[in-house]
Each structure stands twice: as structure tokens, then as C-alpha cells.
Amino acid sequence: MTRPHALLRVGVTYEKTLGMRRLTNTPIDLAIGKDGDLHILSRSDELTFIRRLSFEDDDLGAVNLVGGGGQVGGTSKTDGHFVWPAALLMDGDENLWLSDEGTCQISNITVEGKVICQWGDQGSDDGQMNRPSGIAFDSNGDIFVADTLNHRIQKFKTDGTFLMNFGSYGSEKGEFDMPWGIAIDELDDIYVADWRNDRVQKFSADGEFLFQIGTSGCEDGEFNRPAGIEIDKDGDIYVADWANHRIQLFGPDGHFVEKFIGDATLSRQAKNYMESNVMALRMREMTSIELQKRLRWPVSVRTDMDGRIYMADYGSMRIQVYQKEAYPLGPDEIADPPRSNSLFTQF
């Protein structure tokens, strides 16, 4: 896949909402299968599970990782040991990978919950982890882990063999203060959401610092505890700006493009529930829905090859889906950048 020279950005539009309370409680991450189904990691104090939803919002079941029983969660339980799962990936074989802050392990399970492998030890030596969070694959299939409380990024083979790490505690270039989200683009460059430094840092495949985005604040391009991060097929950078309750979009060079604060409607599942509950119908009819549309504490953002953007709306217990429309431009189809950015034309 070749990254475009530039884009004609038509816009990003809200498409739909998936999930609801009881189905997708406090979602913190998601993975998208080849069939378009969503595998949603929902985590809370007493129950953590992976819910599978179709793109039409059909409930395809759930597997409990921690806890279980009652009206929330799944009907089956994994045979692995989990405490506080933090991130979710799907590999080419459509098996799932999870990091776990509580066990300091990386796990590989089938979509039915059968454990393939679990590895990792708590500590600060090479290959040991302390509250690992974000995970990402490179083009070789090796796995990178945001080793959050060791303030570094580590690289492993999928069998747990340690390969390398980079980073240390601090706020200078190439240093981290609780790195959380991590993403890797088609060039194997690495992007890290540096949680307590309120920035995103970009590195080469061997850990060389390239550039950074952001500082603390709530203005465009600023962050308040950035969490999940994603790179789409065009090289655009999406950041879950957790405590600012929004997703921010940046171009491949790090310039701010736009932000998303949420525009949700009821999901199909939520609509069906409302129609069967007369009191819920009355309360919604009496209440302003303006704030109900908005993102609350979004933790993760994912994209697919069709240009869709999936936002894990943690506080509202749902997934908001958006559609990006943009067209690639070659170098002969767009002017060279101007020497001054002061001119602005509105179309």
C-alpha cells in the first residue's frame, strides 16, 4: 500500500452507533474482523468481557475474561487468567491478543476464548513489564508493548522472546511518562500516546525519535491524557484525547486537521430496548439529548480499510462510527506548499 502524496479531504460524517449499556459496558478497545464484526473489550471492576457485534448491531455473544454471571457479560468464560486487560488486537489468523495491566502479561486467545499462549513477568529488567497497556504489530508480525510504569516501549516475538526496548522516564524527546497507546504504520514507524506528558511521539522502527505532537491543554492540537492512537491507510493520525472527551485527527506530518466530540444517535439495540420500555421512552422524551450525543472519556479509536473510524465511547458505553471521505492526490495534482501559511480560502 502506497501512501498518497496529499489528500482532497471532503469530510468525515457520523454513520451509526453500535452497542449500549449491558452489551458494551465501558468499552476500552476493539478489534475489527475480516467479516466486519467488532470484538469489543469492555472492562469494569467486577466484570470484563469481549463482546462480538455485527456491523448491523447484532449481538453475537460474549466471552467473560474476569467475573461473569448475571445479565451483563457473556455466557462462557475463558480458560485463561486475567485481572485488568487494557488493549485488544486481532492478528491475521483472526485470533485476539490482549495486554493485562494486572498480570503484566500478553495473552493470545481464540475469539471463543480458548487460550493459545500467555507470557510475561512483572519487573523492570529487559523483557519484564509493569502495567503494560497499548500493543501493536509491525510488518514482521512482532509485537510492541507500551510498558507503562517502566516508561518505555518493548518489542517481542509473538512467543514472548524479548527483542529490544527504548525510552526512559522523563519529558524530553524520546522519554515517556506513562506511555499508553501505541500504533505502527505501514512503514513500521511507531507512534506513542505519552499519557502524562500530554503528547504523541513518533519514532522509527529502531526507536529513533522523529517528531512530537501536542502539549497540555484543551485547544486544537493540545491533549489532556491522550490514550488510544491509530494510523489509517492514508497515514492520518487519530488520538483519543481522553480527558478532553474527544478524538483528534492530525495529518501524517503532525498538523492538526479536525476534532470529533460525538454526534451519536441511538444504536439499533438501544432503539429496540427503548421501544419495549415505556418509562425509558418517557424519560428520553422529556430530556435534552444534546449532551447524550457527545463522547465521554473515549479510550480507543480504530479504523478500517474502507475509511471508517470506530470510537470506543467509554463513558456512554457504546461505539460511535464515522466515515471518512478523502481522495488521493499525486504531486502533479496539487500545488507545492506555499512559503507562507497566512493565506486562507474557504470553499
Side-chain angles (χ1 to χ4, degrees):
M1 181 179 64
T2 302
R3 185 175 293 190
H5 173 75
L7 290 174
L8 168 57
R9 297 181 184 276
V10 177
V12 176
T13 56
Y14 168 78
E15 184 170 354
K16 64 166 64 177
T17 295
L18 301 173
M20 59 172 286
R21 186 187 300 271
R22 296 186 181 88
L23 277 182
T24 51
N25 284 19
T26 52
I28 63 167
D29 207 355
L30 63 100
I32 306 160
K34 295 176 183 177
D35 53 8
D37 290 349
L38 272 64
H39 302 260
I40 302 163
L41 176 60
S42 294
R43 183 180 77 179
S44 62
D45 290 341
E46 297 180 354
L47 175 64
T48 298
F49 57 90
I50 299 173
R51 172 76 62 192
R52 185 172 183 172
L53 295 179
S54 73
F55 191 70
E56 289 70 41
D57 207 28
D58 298 309
D59 178 13
L60 304 178
V63 175
N64 295 331
L65 303 179
V66 180
Q71 297 181 347
V72 181
T75 56
S76 63
K77 194 176 191 315
T78 180
D79 56 351
H81 175 57
F82 296 91
V83 173
W84 199 239
L88 182 69
L89 284 179
M90 178 173 278
D91 63 23
D93 295 324
E94 299 221 287
N95 293 315
L96 299 172
W97 292 79
L98 300 103
S99 63
D100 194 313
E101 296 180 79
T103 64
C104 295
Q105 288 188 322
I106 305 299
S107 299
N108 181 206
I109 65 174
T110 67
V111 295
E112 294 80 21
K114 181 177 177 56
V115 171
I116 299 169
C117 68
Q118 290 186 300
W119 47 261
D121 296 300
Q122 185 171 11
S124 57
D125 292 339
D126 289 348
Q128 294 182 324
M129 294 175 280
N130 192 355
R131 298 194 69 123
S133 52
I135 50 178
F137 293 120
D138 68 8
S139 62
N140 294 321
D142 296 326
I143 190 165
F144 284 74
V145 181
D147 188 6
T148 301
L149 288 189
N150 282 326
H151 311 287
R152 64 188 180 185
I153 303 300
Q154 299 212 69
K155 179 182 179 181
F156 300 88
K157 289 189 174 296
T158 53
D159 64 3
T161 301
F162 169 77
L163 295 175
M164 63 166 280
N165 58 38
F166 63 90
S168 59
Y169 176 75
S171 58
E172 299 299 318
K173 294 177 180 178
E175 297 178 336
F176 302 109
D177 190 351
M178 296 181 64
W180 178 267
I182 184 170
I184 299 177
D185 67 17
E186 80 283 2
L187 305 174
D188 279 338
D189 289 335
I190 304 160
Y191 304 74
V192 180
D194 192 359
W195 170 268
R196 292 188 64 180
N197 281 325
D198 288 328
R199 64 183 177 182
V200 168
Q201 297 193 71
K202 179 180 178 180
F203 300 87
S204 68
D206 59 3
E208 178 187 356
F209 174 84
L210 298 177
F211 68 73
Q212 69 180 32
I213 306 169
T215 186
S216 298
C218 59
E219 300 298 324
D220 293 346
E222 297 176 341
F223 300 113
N224 189 355
R225 301 300 185 254
I229 186 168
E230 175 78 322
I231 315 300
D232 74 6
K233 62 180 181 179
D234 299 319
D236 280 345
I237 305 164
Y238 300 81
V239 183
D241 190 7
W242 180 75
N244 279 328
H245 308 285
R246 63 187 182 182
I247 304 294
Q248 295 202 68
L249 167 59
F250 300 86
D253 61 357
H255 77 277
F256 173 79
V257 176
E258 62 177 312
K259 60 181 179 285
F260 310 99
I261 62 173
D263 200 28
T265 54
L266 289 176
S267 69
R268 197 191 82 184
Q269 292 275 359
K271 177 177 175 290
N272 291 343
Y273 170 79
M274 296 289 291
E275 289 175 339
S276 64
N277 190 315
V278 293
M279 182 55 70
L281 282 170
R282 172 54 62 192
M283 295 301 295
R284 184 171 176 86
E285 196 276 336
M286 294 172 57
T287 305
S288 169
I289 64 172
E290 181 65 24
L291 291 179
Q292 297 180 37
K293 298 188 298 183
R294 304 305 178 209
L295 292 164
R296 294 194 296 157
W297 313 104
V299 182
S300 175
V301 55
R302 299 291 186 183
T303 61
D304 66 19
M305 295 302 294
D306 295 323
R308 288 193 177 97
I309 308 157
Y310 303 79
M311 303 177 186
D313 193 355
Y314 176 90
S316 294
M317 305 188 186
R318 62 195 176 190
I319 307 299
Q320 295 198 40
V321 186
Y322 292 75
Q323 178 68 58
K324 172 183 170 182
E325 184 178 0
Y327 299 93
L329 299 172
D332 58 342
E333 298 177 297
I334 187 172
D336 293 334
R339 295 182 180 180
S340 171
N341 292 327
S342 61
L343 296 178
F344 177 82
T345 302
Q346 177 69 51
F347 291 99

